[in-house]
Amino acid sequence: MNPTHDEQKRLSRWRLILGAEAEQQLERQTSSEIEGITLTEEERIMDQALAAIYDDTSGHEAQSGNNRNGGKGAGKGPSSPTLTRWLGDVRTFFPEDVVSIIQNDAMERKGWKQLLFEPEVLAQVKPDITLVGTLMALKGKIPEKTKETARLLIQSVVDDLVKRLEQDMRRAVTGALNRRQHSPLPSLSGIDWKRTIQRNLKHYNQERRQIIPEKFYYFDRARRSHEWKVIIDIDQSGSMADSIIWASVTASIFASMPALDTRVVAFDTSVVDLTEQCNNDPVDMLFGIQLGGGTNIDKSVAYCEQFIEEPKKTLFILISDLYEGGSQARLIRRMRELKEAGVKTLCLLALSDEGKPFYDKQLAQKFTRDGTPSFACTPALLPALVEGALKGQDLSDLVKRLGIAID
């Protein structure tokens, strides 16, 4: 007899998950009276799309009825039109979050990264943060004809990430620096002392030998800028791709705020200052990143020290998995000295929506012991951390209150 609608739906789902090879096994495990599994036209296209990635086939498009472990492919190298059609099928028949997974599996399992060099193929790809990381890693190989398409794709992802983060970050910085919102008096750091003293000389108290001001005068808030220095020091290791993208977006938001003087540095065994690119365009900054290579964190921190003019008005954010190739002892000492001088220091082992990263746990613990909290952070929690730092809060306590595990 024919299966019910629910039975057919359940069987079809398992068939799509397990592939053609499992079809006979599925039929044996169901009622002997139920006829074979029948895929709809839409399900057949979905099955072929999945087979192209997850079957042991050598080519792009699995042929109808092929056994998943023994079927023939459509050739040893997928043509650009074929891949474009496959991308279209995937985006049509699968949810967005699933599209990203399948798309990234295609590049990793089938080695299709080189096909991103074709503009017509790249135009069909769903933009996401993982794909941006792939393009960053391949940027030296991207031909001229594809660069503009790649840039537009990266721009779309960056724009989306900025939308997610910018409003909360601006609110956090403004709330921390504009103390008028939290006190009946404007910020103490904004007092015009010379004018206040001159205008209140008539209120000098002979008995107490003090000027008792009747009115305080403040600098125009709009004229004040660069109240805090923010230095973002970014590890260019290949494993840090997602963190680099989020760090670039964060740095571009900081750079657009007059109250912050933002410096952006990237490093492997050498150090690259990306401040100018960040000020102009975060996409330019990402193209200035070179994923991979060794790591010398100590060298980068030493470079960043030259920008610290007022330690107590400086926030230093190191974004790294802490696998140090330079002098670990010197790095620990350098970070400790920054903290002791009054610099607000943070070490983000990862800045992404992903799970807990791989990192040097011992070095992270030493940093934390010396007063530099070291932890993985999601972008959603970063504004609260920045606000706390600018308000002068103890960052270790703040991190714990936010429920973040410190290493």
Side-chain angles (χ1 to χ4, degrees), residues 59-77:
H60 164 67
E61 191 173 34
Q63 302 199 3
S64 179
N66 280 346
N67 181 292
R68 284 214 166 175
N69 286 320
K72 294 182 179 179
K76 292 186 177 180

Side-chain angles (χ1 to χ4, degrees), residues 29-316:
Q29 291 181 0
T30 58
S31 170
S32 59
E33 298 180 355
I34 294 179
E35 297 179 2
I37 301 169
T38 302
L39 298 181
T40 65
E41 178 63 19
E42 178 179 314
E43 289 170 338
R44 186 185 66 77
I45 295 172
M46 293 171 70
D47 183 52
Q48 290 182 358
L50 293 172
I53 305 305
Y54 302 107
D55 288 4
D56 292 334
T57 54
S58 59
H60 164 67
E61 191 173 34
Q63 302 199 3
S64 179
N66 280 346
N67 181 292
R68 284 214 166 175
N69 286 320
K72 294 182 179 179
K76 292 186 177 180
S79 67
S80 180
T82 302
L83 181 58
T84 302
R85 184 170 64 252
W86 177 82
L87 285 166
D89 289 343
V90 169
R91 295 185 70 172
T92 300
F93 296 111
F94 292 92
E96 283 195 16
D97 54 342
V98 177
V99 171
S100 291
I101 294 171
I102 295 174
Q103 176 178 282
N104 293 324
D105 281 350
M107 289 185 287
E108 294 301 323
R109 295 170 66 102
K110 293 296 183 179
W112 292 356
K113 291 180 181 178
Q114 70 277 10
L115 290 168
L116 295 178
F117 299 161
E118 300 295 331
E120 64 272 19
V121 172
L122 195 57
Q124 293 293 324
V125 173
K126 179 186 181 299
D128 62 22
I129 195 167
T130 303
L131 184 64
V132 171
T134 300
L135 289 172
M136 288 169 60
L138 296 173
K139 67 176 185 185
K141 301 176 182 177
I142 297 176
E144 287 297 325
K145 65 178 181 178
T146 310
K147 282 185 177 178
E148 185 56 33
T149 306
R151 182 182 178 82
L152 291 174
L153 186 148
I154 293 174
Q155 184 71 62
S156 68
V157 174
V158 168
D159 289 346
D160 180 62
L161 299 184
V162 168
K163 288 178 184 178
R164 286 179 55 184
L165 188 61
E166 184 172 26
Q167 185 174 356
D168 288 342
M169 189 63 77
R170 287 186 175 277
R171 186 184 298 117
V173 173
T174 301
L177 298 183
N178 189 359
R179 297 178 181 84
R180 293 180 186 179
Q181 297 178 3
H182 308 288
S183 169
L185 290 176
S187 170
L188 181 64
S189 62
I191 294 178
D192 184 343
W193 287 107
K194 182 177 180 180
R195 189 179 181 200
T196 297
I197 292 170
Q198 288 177 338
R199 295 295 181 90
N200 287 280
L201 285 174
K202 60 184 176 182
H203 301 298
Y204 181 76
N205 187 300
Q206 292 283 356
E207 183 179 333
R208 300 175 65 176
R209 303 181 66 180
Q210 291 179 341
I211 294 175
I212 302 178
E214 184 178 84
K215 183 178 179 180
F216 286 87
Y217 294 85
Y218 299 86
F219 292 109
D220 183 356
R221 190 79 189 173
R223 287 164 46 201
R224 299 178 62 221
S225 64
H226 292 179
E227 296 182 54
W228 272 77
K229 174 93 67 176
V230 178
I231 303 171
I232 303 180
D233 194 16
I234 308 170
D235 189 336
Q236 294 186 114
S237 301
S239 60
M240 300 292 294
D242 284 11
S243 298
I244 291 169
I245 295 165
W246 273 111
S248 300
V249 168
T250 301
S252 70
I253 294 171
F254 286 159
S256 69
M257 304 178 71
L260 303 179
D261 181 9
T262 305
R263 306 291 311 194
V264 186
V265 172
F267 66 90
D268 40 37
T269 54
S270 58
V271 178
V272 181
D273 195 319
L274 296 172
T275 302
E276 185 175 348
Q277 292 93 320
C278 175
N279 289 337
N280 294 332
D281 186 347
V283 177
D284 284 344
M285 179 180 157
L286 286 172
F287 273 110
I289 296 285
Q290 182 62 56
L291 292 180
T295 307
N296 192 325
I297 309 172
D298 176 64
K299 185 176 181 179
S300 73
V301 176
Y303 177 84
C304 293
E305 286 177 339
Q306 66 181 300
F307 303 119
I308 300 174
E309 298 167 345
E310 296 182 69
K312 293 183 179 180
K313 285 287 187 177
T314 301
L315 171 61
F316 179 73

